Amino acid sequence: NKFTVGILFSTLFVFAMLISCSKSIETYYPLKEGMKWEYQNTFGSHAMKGAEKTIITNLAPQELKGKKVTPQEVEIGGQSRLSFLTEDEDGLYEITEQQPVSVEKEKKSSPFYIIKYPIKAGTTWERMTRTSLSNVPVKLKYTIESTDEEVTVPAGTFKGCIKVNGLGDTQTNLNIFGGTIIIAITVEHYSWYAPKVGLVKSIVKEKSSHVYEAGEWDMTMQLESFKK
């Protein structure tokens, strides 16, 4: 009868929702205290190339603005900052950060989501960042493209990774030869997260419509080692 069909439909719906959310964000972005990741970074444009290490360490959880947060120490090229992460019903995001020269925490104007629920292909979200070419704001639209990627980096081969891609574009003015021109910048950001490990690889590509604004810039970040 209709009542039985309705109950069956509701049960199947709830079951499907439980399956879709069975893997939490922490599966792909562990927040356990003491975990540490070391990455190889290569970056540059047609005029300059470089390399450096990034070291990320999870610190002890604390309370901030009424929320339980996990501070992460992010060290890049000898300079470190603190990133404060928390989770809500929508996903994992950075609530605030603290630069090395500041004693104040800089609150994000809006949640800076790293990964959003549900963890399945097709999930999308947006976040603001800044370009490396001109340091101008740009909004990127992120999408979980796949949940079954295989990635090989110096730390090894990881299966069952989720792949997230972010795409966006912006414009900025450039003063040159006494005049002003408008240049367009496109940004692509690809990230792979492995189960129980976290971020294993990230690629950022920027392209400018004008050669005086570096033309192209890219950065590849690969996991070299990690400690659970």
Side-chain angles (χ1 to χ4, degrees):
N1 58 39
K2 290 183 178 180
F3 179 78
T4 302
V5 172
I7 291 294
L8 177 60
F9 177 81
S10 299
T11 302
L12 290 174
F13 177 78
V14 171
F15 181 75
M17 289 299 293
L18 289 172
I19 291 296
S20 67
C21 296
S22 61
K23 289 189 176 180
S24 70
I25 285 176
E26 196 163 334
T27 299
Y28 300 97
Y29 205 102
L31 298 176
K32 177 184 173 185
E33 180 184 354
M35 288 192 71
K36 183 177 182 179
W37 300 263
E38 293 193 19
Y39 298 90
Q40 295 177 353
N41 288 356
T42 55
F43 58 89
S45 63
H46 68 282
M48 180 189 73
K49 299 291 183 181
E52 62 188 4
K53 274 196 175 185
T54 294
I55 301 174
I56 299 176
T57 307
N58 286 347
L59 305 181
Q62 60 180 253
E63 185 132 332
L64 180 66
K65 297 179 174 57
K67 295 179 179 293
K68 179 184 176 182
V69 302
T70 298
Q72 278 191 333
E73 182 181 28
V74 183
E75 181 183 336
I76 304 176
Q79 292 284 328
S80 63
R81 69 178 181 90
L82 290 178
S83 172
F84 296 84
L85 305 178
T86 190
E87 188 177 357
D88 62 14
E89 65 275 9
D90 292 324
L92 178 76
Y93 66 96
E94 183 182 46
I95 188 173
T96 187
E97 66 178 341
Q98 188 173 14
Q99 298 295 336
V101 295
S102 174
V103 295
E104 297 294 330
K105 298 179 179 68
E106 180 185 340
K107 187 178 185 299
K108 299 295 183 181
S109 57
S110 59
F112 192 86
Y113 281 99
I114 299 169
I115 306 175
K116 265 201 169 185
Y117 282 132
I119 301 178
K120 66 177 185 178
T123 296
T124 63
W125 65 94
E126 294 181 340
R127 76 179 186 217
M128 294 297 298
T129 185
R130 302 189 76 86
T131 67
S132 296
L133 289 171
S134 309
N135 195 34
V136 296
V138 58
K139 180 184 288 186
L140 299 185
K141 180 178 180 180
Y142 284 86
T143 303
I144 297 180
E145 187 176 297
S146 171
T147 59
D148 193 25
E149 295 275 316
E150 182 175 312
V151 181
T152 298
V153 293
T157 297
F158 300 90
K159 297 181 179 180
C161 301
I162 61 172
K163 179 183 179 182
V164 177
N165 68 60
L167 304 173
D169 58 75
T170 188
Q171 293 183 336
T172 187
N173 295 329
L174 179 65
N175 297 317
I176 186 171
F177 302 134
T180 301
I181 61 173
I182 299 175
I183 61 172
I185 302 174
T186 59
V187 181
E188 302 174 28
H189 183 195
Y190 303 94
S191 301
W192 290 263
Y193 299 86
K196 300 181 180 179
V197 178
L199 180 67
V200 292
K201 186 175 182 178
S202 175
I203 298 174
V204 179
K205 296 181 179 181
E206 294 185 11
K207 291 184 180 180
S208 166
S209 62
H210 201 281
V211 67
Y212 283 100
E213 200 60 17
E216 296 185 6
W217 183 91
D218 62 79
M219 182 185 77
T220 298
M221 184 174 172
Q222 299 187 86
L223 184 64
E224 188 176 57
S225 65
F226 67 98
K227 170 190 170 186
K228 291 186 178 181

